[in-house]
Amino acid sequence: QVQFVESGGGLVQPGGSLRLSCAASGSGFSLRTMAWFRQAPGQQRELIARIFNNGGAIYADSVKDRFTISRDNAKSTVDLQMNALKPEDTAVYYCYAFGGNFSWGQGTQVTVSS
């Protein structure tokens, strides 16, 4: 079983930056593809970035060139650096691991507003 604890969210002005972090417990972290999702009010959860065990990453068009996903296998953490934030980035952000039917964490709220 893998559990996720997300942190780093907050209120930021448009154009600002935030760095989210996720601590994942459980075995096999270094072998798993890790991902960040987000869910805005009234909308479905959206996959925005994933990072493979070799470090390669794929991004949704909505965040490409603004967000960067990274991982530290020694610490079992996955981060999301978010730059040039927009009001439409406002959502609860979750991390997750592919390859299992795990429970979602609590997420961390990101609000982009002036």
Side-chain angles (χ1 to χ4, degrees):
Q1 182 70 351
V2 178
Q3 295 181 319
F4 311 99
V5 179
E6 300 92 347
S7 62
L11 173 64
V12 62
Q13 292 187 342
S17 298
L18 280 176
R19 187 176 184 89
L20 307 184
S21 186
C22 170
S25 64
S27 61
F29 177 89
S30 64
L31 300 177
R32 297 189 187 280
T33 296
M34 299 298 298
W36 281 94
F37 289 75
R38 68 184 180 188
Q39 187 168 22
Q43 297 189 20
Q44 291 188 334
R45 197 165 289 173
E46 173 192 17
L47 172 61
I48 58 170
R50 72 181 89 176
I51 184 166
F52 303 100
N53 59 6
N54 65 1
I58 298 176
Y59 299 90
D61 288 344
S62 57
V63 305
K64 194 177 297 183
D65 299 325
R66 298 189 298 123
F67 291 10
T68 302
I69 189 171
S70 60
R71 66 190 297 162
D72 186 331
N73 289 334
K75 297 180 180 178
S76 296
T77 58
V78 56
D79 290 355
L80 186 69
Q81 177 66 41
M82 306 187 297
N83 299 327
L85 283 161
K86 306 175 182 180
E88 51 263 44
D89 294 319
T90 295
V92 180
Y93 285 70
Y94 303 88
C95 70
Y96 200 71
F98 287 93
N101 185 23
F102 308 118
S103 297
W104 292 89
Q106 295 290 328
T108 186
Q109 175 71 48
V110 172
T111 302
V112 184
S113 174
S114 56

